[in-house]
Amino acid sequence: MACTNCSSGANGGTPRGCKNNGTCGTDSCNKLTVFDWLGNMTLPGGQKPFDCVEVRFKNGRKDFYRNHENLTLSMGDVVATESSPGHDIGIVTLTGELVKIQMKKKGADPDGEVLKIYRKATQKDIDIWQNARNREEPMKVTAREIAIRLNLEMKISDIEFQGDGSKATFYYTANDRVDFRQLIKDYAREFSIRIEMKQVGFRQEASRLGGVGSCGRELCCSTWLTDFRSVNTSAARYQQLSLNPQKLAGQCGKLKCCLNYELDTYLDALKELPDMDTKLYTEKGDAVCQKIDIFKGLMWFAYTNDMGHWHMLDAEQVREIMDLNKQKERITALEDYVIEVDEVAPEKSFLNAVGQDSLTRFDAPKRRRKKPGRDRDNRKERAETPSGGNNDNAGQPQQRHKGRPQREPRPEGDNRQREPRQDRPQREPRPEGRERSEGNNRPQREPRQDGGNRPQREPRPQQPRGEGGQQQANNNAEGRPQGEGNKNKKHHNRNKKKPSGDKNGNDKV
């Protein structure tokens, strides 16, 4: 069923794979391909091969055509087929006697009127077909914009061009009937082509788009499923599944097709079990069925006046109770027939072989790192906060150093003086009149003779700016010439620009 590139290699029998994603040249890797299991068998003598072939087009559309010209066709050949109007381009997917079987399966008459094949597609036919296929995506965007502008409750899912480019089929999905007469006029005016509208179901749309299901695998409708059967909610009820639309619905929004896969097996197993509507009559009260384990043959019942407690019974015991109820006899209670199951604790097989940490290691709050300078701010706040304030730590002894143990507070009424430390010698008192050391000696300021009053400064004579302006500028504040004043006094000029550096004028290194 696979092409030669996908066949098993010499390295351990592993498949190499052509990596063409279902579009290989031989068309053997496509999901719609039928395996010709009669291809290597010869026909009996004197019998002619069947002259019809199966041709596949875009979106999984297949049809049967008759080979009137007796062309030598094989799977994967591109042919030009009859269409209305013009011709269409498709790929041959099946030939021989299997085509007759497929026609009977699809309800077509092998001996009736069937469309014919014109010829094998030439290079010119293939070029026209490919150019028409390249126009589909831009047209789909424009077609959706026009449908939205007309406020139509429909979705343009795909566009298919005919092989000769003379007609375009618009596939759409809608919940209700849509009046698209004005839409067709706008499409014909916009695209200048013959328009045909075709409604498809949501399952067919999902099969063309593809995707991944809740099981983690690709959608069945996009990989191998070709026929879509109806799925009812009774299929979920028979399998004892919860009727949750979010879990039972697939990518298409309808019930999952896989609900029908095991339905027959469940129906066969349910034939050997009592019905879900079974009611048991006891002296303690009536009991109704709540749950069934189909393959284990177990049923759970609960009293109508106590629905919170379930009692597990075997299917054979339920039949015995039903036989007694038919004879108008009641059993004492369901507890006499309950199956006791010993709960075995599961073995802990997990081993921390790679040294993994606990999963709750991130639950503990992280310790914040102290920012630089925060200790200094905290000390200022403690100094400013009074002992009787609203501070939480007010009145409590604070531990300044982490390595030093905290001193216990004194009890009330204890006025004892602290004893001096034994390891530190006491300082002798300084005798009176003793001078300090040279390092601590400060020069004493002599008292003023005039009683401490500073003499007043004489007023500076004012001179006009004409003649004495230059002389006034050269004199200091005390009327002295510049250079004869106090040499230790620094003169600052406010108009002088400070050199580049810090605030003190020092250049930065």
Side-chain angles (χ1 to χ4, degrees):
M1 188 163 178
C3 60
T4 56
N5 294 331
C6 293
S7 59
S8 300
N11 299 331
T14 57
R16 293 192 296 264
C18 60
K19 298 181 181 180
N20 286 323
N21 299 325
T23 58
C24 62
T26 59
D27 200 54
S28 303
C29 298
N30 196 281
K31 67 157 186 170
L32 299 175
T33 302
V34 181
F35 178 65
D36 190 3
W37 50 275
L38 295 176
N40 56 353
M41 299 181 66
T42 58
L43 296 173
Q47 184 175 357
K48 295 181 180 181
F50 190 60
D51 59 348
C52 289
V53 296
E54 185 185 57
V55 182
R56 177 176 59 83
F57 302 94
K58 186 185 176 182
N59 293 334
R61 180 171 60 91
K62 286 185 177 182
D63 207 344
F64 301 101
Y65 295 89
R66 195 175 299 278
N67 186 7
H68 288 286
E69 303 296 333
N70 295 326
L71 302 173
T72 303
L73 301 177
S74 59
M75 295 176 59
D77 291 340
V78 182
V79 294
T81 62
E82 182 183 0
S83 182
S84 177
H87 66 275
D88 202 353
I89 304 298
I91 301 174
V92 178
T93 56
L94 193 61
T95 60
E97 294 296 323
L98 281 182
V99 181
K100 186 184 294 185
I101 300 175
Q102 287 292 105
M103 293 179 70
K104 292 180 180 179
K105 183 179 179 181
K106 299 296 182 181
D109 187 9
D111 300 329
E113 295 183 0
V114 183
L115 299 177
K116 61 182 179 179
I117 294 177
Y118 289 142
R119 61 187 180 275
K120 284 188 177 182
T122 61
Q123 186 62 37
K124 183 179 180 180
D125 296 334
I126 295 176
D127 293 340
I128 296 174
W129 179 44
Q130 291 296 334
N131 293 332
R133 292 283 298 269
N134 295 333
R135 295 175 55 191
E136 292 175 357
E137 289 300 325
M139 282 183 61
K140 184 166 61 175
V141 177
T142 308
R144 289 179 176 176
E145 293 177 355
I146 296 174
I148 294 173
R149 186 170 66 245
L150 295 177
N151 297 325
L152 298 178
E153 296 182 0
M154 59 183 298
K155 176 185 176 184
I156 305 297
S157 60
D158 202 357
I159 300 175
E160 180 183 359
F161 265 91
Q162 196 168 284
D164 56 355
S166 60
K167 184 179 71 172
T169 304
F170 289 76
Y171 294 92
Y172 71 95
T173 57
N175 293 323
D176 300 326
R177 187 174 179 178
V178 181
D179 186 8
F180 46 77
R181 290 176 292 182
Q182 183 63 33
L183 182 67
I184 294 176
K185 295 179 182 179
D186 294 346
Y187 283 171
R189 188 185 308 108
E190 179 72 23
F191 306 123
S192 300
I193 197 174
R194 186 176 180 182
I195 305 297
E196 182 180 352
M197 304 295 294
K198 198 171 193 179
Q199 185 176 2
V200 295
F202 293 96
R203 299 181 190 274
Q204 286 80 4
E205 181 187 14
S207 66
R208 290 195 306 272
L209 298 178
V212 179
S214 59
C215 57
R217 304 186 60 174
E218 294 185 41
L219 299 180
C220 299
C221 55
S222 62
T223 51
W224 61 272
L225 189 62
T226 56
D227 55 336
F228 303 99
R229 299 179 181 178
S230 61
V231 184
N232 300 325
T233 55
S234 59
R237 293 192 182 96
Y238 287 135
Q239 300 178 44
Q240 304 295 320
L241 299 176
S242 61
L243 300 179
N244 189 355
Q246 296 180 355
K247 293 184 177 180
L248 297 180
Q251 298 290 341
C252 58
K254 305 295 182 180
L255 293 177
K256 295 179 181 179
C257 298
C258 56
L259 294 176
N260 287 337
Y261 295 166
E262 300 177 355
L263 180 59
D264 296 337
T265 306
Y266 278 89
L267 291 176
D268 294 340
L270 284 173
K271 293 179 181 179
E272 300 178 359
L273 297 176
D275 297 336
M276 187 71 181
D277 300 334
T278 302
K279 184 179 290 187
L280 303 180
Y281 301 97
T282 64
E283 297 179 357
K284 193 174 181 180
D286 299 342
V288 294
C289 183
Q290 299 292 330
K291 178 184 174 182
I292 297 178
D293 192 335
I294 299 175
F295 297 105
K296 290 184 179 181
L298 301 177
M299 303 180 69
W300 281 263
F301 285 85
Y303 292 106
T304 55
N305 53 5
D306 188 8
M307 302 296 291
H309 295 81
W310 293 7
H311 304 280
M312 183 174 62
L313 304 177
D314 190 30
E316 297 296 332
Q317 297 177 348
V318 174
R319 289 195 183 93
E320 294 178 3
I321 298 174
M322 291 174 61
D323 295 338
L324 295 175
N325 292 335
K326 288 180 180 179
Q327 299 176 6
K328 297 182 180 181
E329 295 182 5
R330 291 176 176 263
I331 61 174
T332 306
L334 293 178
E335 287 79 354
D336 300 338
Y337 296 87
V338 170
I339 300 176
E340 297 181 359
V341 179
D342 298 334
E343 296 182 359
V344 180
E347 297 181 359
K348 297 181 180 180
S349 59
F350 173 75
L351 297 177
N352 192 3
V354 295
Q356 295 177 351
D357 296 331
S358 174
L359 294 177
T360 60
R361 63 185 183 274
F362 298 112
D363 296 345
K366 294 183 179 180
R367 300 182 63 182
R368 296 183 179 178
R369 296 182 179 179
K370 295 182 178 180
K371 295 183 179 179
R374 180 170 291 185
D375 294 340
R376 181 172 61 255
D377 299 339
N378 293 340
R379 286 196 295 269
K380 291 181 179 179
E381 293 178 1
R382 288 196 295 268
E384 295 175 358
T385 304
S387 60
N390 297 329
N391 192 6
D392 297 336
N393 299 327
Q396 298 181 3
Q398 299 179 357
Q399 185 176 353
R400 296 184 179 180
H401 303 282
K402 294 183 179 179
R404 184 179 299 175
Q406 189 174 0
R407 183 181 299 172
E408 298 181 359
R410 290 185 179 183
E412 297 181 0
D414 189 359
N415 298 326
R416 293 179 298 174
Q417 299 292 335
R418 185 174 61 180
E419 297 180 359
R421 295 178 59 178
Q422 301 296 333
D423 55 349
R424 179 185 298 177
Q426 295 184 0
R427 183 180 299 175
E428 297 179 359
R430 182 182 300 173
E432 297 182 358
R434 181 180 176 181
E435 297 181 355
R436 296 184 179 181
S437 60
E438 295 180 359
N440 296 332
N441 239 358
R442 296 181 181 177
Q444 299 291 334
R445 182 179 297 177
E446 297 180 359
R448 294 181 180 271
Q449 299 298 333
D450 53 355
N453 296 327
R454 180 178 297 179
Q456 295 183 358
R457 186 179 300 174
E458 297 179 358
R460 184 171 54 184
Q462 297 182 0
Q463 297 180 0
R465 291 188 178 184
E467 298 177 358
Q470 183 69 21
Q471 183 179 1
Q472 184 180 1
N474 295 332
N475 294 340
N476 54 12
E478 296 179 359
R480 302 170 184 172
Q482 188 175 2
E484 297 181 2
N486 189 5
K487 297 182 179 181
N488 297 329
K489 186 176 181 180
K490 295 182 179 180
H491 299 276
H492 298 281
N493 189 359
R494 296 181 180 180
N495 299 328
K496 185 178 180 181
K497 186 177 181 181
K498 292 184 179 180
S500 61
D502 56 2
K503 61 183 180 179
N504 298 326
N506 300 326
D507 294 337
K508 292 184 178 179
V509 180

